Amino acid sequence: MEQWLKEDERLDYLLAEDLRIIQSPSVFSFSLDAVLLAKFVNVPRQKGKLVDLCAGNGAIPLFLSARTKGHITGVELQERLVDMAQRSVRYNELEEQIHITQGDVKTIASILGVEKYDVVTCNPPYFPAHEASDKNLKEHVAIARHEIYLTLDQMIFSASKLLKQGGKAAFVHRPGRLLDIVTAMRENRIEPKRIRFVYPKAGKEANTLLIEGIKDGKPDLKILPPLYVYGEDGEYTAEVREMLYGKEQ
């Protein structure tokens, strides 16, 4: 077991998918946002080419591998996170389906190929770069969470370049950036088709946004039912519980 792990890393379960993932409290651990995006996006079941941008430690590619037999490429800038993701892929014996590559999202289309992909997902940095001045933030975390190396517009531009006509792009972000996201999507030929707002619990403001668009799609936006993470009892709602742990027997 130990040869899979370095320093303070641990091997966590992805229970619903029956997979394991390498995580680190000091370097990177995926959040619920990755789970939500991986369950939200429409993917081809039997074949296809998928790309996950800002892949971190590979959580979304691993989640998607349980939903599609298509080939999944994860793109991550940070070498340490690439290494963690690659070891997780090997641990789960998914090398033939998932490929993790180190690269800059801004230029990755020139390497992976333009208009070759059926699906692009991204859980991007949410916060403006100037907010990353907090000296308590570790570098890996700061880069993952703040627009230090990648802005929202740059991310959506790259997603569009990767996508085939009719391909789908899905993003998770903060509701406050909704108009910026929609504007950037339309400027880059991705027509928003589905939006779902995620709420901590009933009666609270939405704190997460899920959005999917189709490249060169026709205008027709659906607002899906709200998703509540916690019930009144403080426990996960049935929908979120199923996402995390799978269907109850």
Side-chain angles (χ1 to χ4, degrees):
M1 181 67 68
E2 289 304 316
Q3 75 269 23
W4 292 101
L5 303 176
K6 300 178 180 179
E7 299 172 23
D8 64 351
E9 293 174 353
R10 63 180 188 265
L11 202 53
D12 287 349
Y13 281 100
L14 305 180
L15 292 168
E17 292 74 21
D18 193 25
L19 296 172
R20 305 290 292 272
I21 187 168
I22 294 168
Q23 307 223 86
S24 162
S26 66
V27 179
F28 191 87
S29 298
F30 74 87
S31 68
L32 180 62
D33 291 354
V35 182
L36 297 173
L37 179 59
K39 305 291 184 176
F40 170 77
V41 62
N42 283 305
V43 295
R45 289 191 178 182
Q46 295 302 321
K47 59 183 180 178
K49 296 176 72 175
L50 300 83
V51 179
D52 179 51
L53 305 175
C54 306
N57 65 339
I60 289 175
L62 289 171
F63 288 130
L64 291 176
S65 73
R67 298 189 56 212
T68 179
K69 293 179 181 174
H71 186 269
I72 305 162
T73 300
V75 178
E76 171 53 46
L77 179 67
Q78 300 190 67
E79 185 176 359
R80 176 72 195 276
L81 302 189
V82 171
D83 175 54
M84 291 169 69
Q86 289 173 338
R87 280 182 283 130
S88 290
V89 169
R90 290 198 301 273
Y91 184 91
N92 291 289
E93 299 180 350
L94 289 167
E95 297 99 319
E96 290 191 9
Q97 185 182 15
I98 300 175
H99 175 68
I100 305 293
T101 186
Q102 184 176 7
D104 189 330
V105 168
K106 295 191 293 293
T107 56
I108 199 65
S110 63
I111 297 166
L112 296 184
V114 174
E115 297 193 345
K116 288 189 174 181
Y117 293 87
D118 301 288
V119 176
V120 177
T121 55
C122 188
N123 178 7
Y126 292 150
F127 307 108
H130 65 79
E131 293 182 9
S133 58
D134 182 351
K135 295 296 183 285
N136 294 321
L137 275 181
K138 292 188 167 58
E139 182 186 19
H140 297 289
V141 177
I143 292 171
R145 292 183 182 171
H146 296 78
E147 296 180 336
I148 297 170
Y149 291 116
L150 182 70
T151 66
L152 179 64
D153 287 348
Q154 290 168 336
M155 181 272 289
I156 293 175
F157 175 79
S158 287
S160 180
K161 287 195 77 170
L162 290 163
L163 275 181
K164 295 176 180 175
Q165 188 173 26
K168 294 183 173 71
F171 313 119
V172 58
H173 218 289
R174 293 291 173 256
R177 300 298 297 277
L178 172 60
L179 295 183
D180 295 334
I181 295 166
V182 168
T183 299
M185 288 173 73
R186 283 189 147 177
E187 286 175 348
N188 289 284
R189 297 168 51 199
I190 302 173
E191 183 62 29
K193 302 290 281 187
R194 298 165 63 232
I195 289 179
R196 192 172 193 190
F197 292 101
V198 183
Y199 301 78
K201 61 191 293 187
K204 298 289 187 181
E205 290 185 4
N207 62 354
T208 303
L209 165 73
L210 297 162
I211 185 166
E212 181 182 77
I214 295 179
K215 186 166 182 178
D216 296 328
K218 294 179 180 177
D220 179 24
L221 177 63
K222 289 181 170 61
I223 307 295
L224 303 181
L227 173 60
Y228 299 108
V229 176
Y230 296 103
E232 290 302 317
D233 57 2
E235 301 292 329
Y236 284 128
T237 59
E239 186 175 2
V240 171
R241 203 163 54 241
E242 183 177 321
M243 289 183 185
L244 292 169
Y245 308 123
K247 281 190 167 71
E248 293 179 1
Q249 302 300 319

